[in-house]
Amino acid sequence: MARRKKIYEGKAKILYEGPEPGTLVQYFKDDATAFNAEKRATIEGKGVLNNRLSEFFMTGLSNIGVPNHFIKRLNMREQLIRQVEIIPLEVIVRNFAAGSMAKRLGLEEGTPLPRPIVEFSYKDDALGDPLVPEEYIIAFGWASQQDMDDIVALALRVNDFLTGVMFGVGIKLVDFKIEIGRIWDNDYMRLIVADEISPDSCRLWDIETGQKLDKDVFRRDLGNLTDAYTEVARRLGVLPSNVTHAAKPHVIN
Ligand code: UDP
């Protein structure tokens, strides 16, 4: 069905031209990748869940005044978003050591950090998204010092919001990744949260049991990823009514 122009296809999403200038349609695929796309799978229902979950988080952010790209959900797998110029950085916020940080510093996963730590990776699949200091970012002109101050402020607001929302449903926000985009209102440039916020880009642990409810389930072969994401959606009250998994009891391996 050639109904619109594909602008970009990534690992988990496709961007199509939107109905009006300055808008795009973001389509959530069922594809999952890990370890710089060395591990791949199609996980039925993941795209539907992430579409809903990203809508939920972005709408919540809008409601507390954190600007982001979300306009409205269009259907089970698609949402209308503002077109942005993506800053080529993965902005990572960590509350507890895990993943690459735990490995790099020899810390046990789950070690609380003295304060939230914001770090940046340069988005380049061929290089494996290397960690970069702010010095590089400014020197290479990917963002200015003012942009970086604004990005850190945005990232910490997202962290406080997500931490609180997840705590309310018995989930610990260990870390997450966001991406930031530029938009122009006439000559005035603003930075807004873009891409997605979903269990694909967060580490979410059950507060009581420590059970992982995020993409590590796929990365580390810990069970059924759709069941884990369904559990997050169920707790947040954002289950799509017509996902078959939603009707099943939640047995997570
Ligand atoms: N993350 C992501 N995309 C990436 C790399 C990391 O969404 O390309 C997220 C990841 O899910 C985790 C956080 O960023 O919530 C920190 O990831 P980390 O640096 O520990 O890397 P990983 O161990 O996932 O390779």
Side-chain angles (χ1 to χ4, degrees), residues 90 92 94 98-100 129 175 177 200-203 219:
E90 305 210 318
I92 293 169
R94 300 178 185 274
S100 65
D129 299 339
D175 58 29
K177 184 263 307 188
D200 266 8
S201 48
C202 300
R203 281 198 171 91
R219 292 190 191 99

Side-chain angles (χ1 to χ4, degrees), residues 59-70:
T59 305
L61 286 173
S62 295
N63 286 331
I64 61 159
V66 177
N68 65 79
H69 73 168
F70 183 81

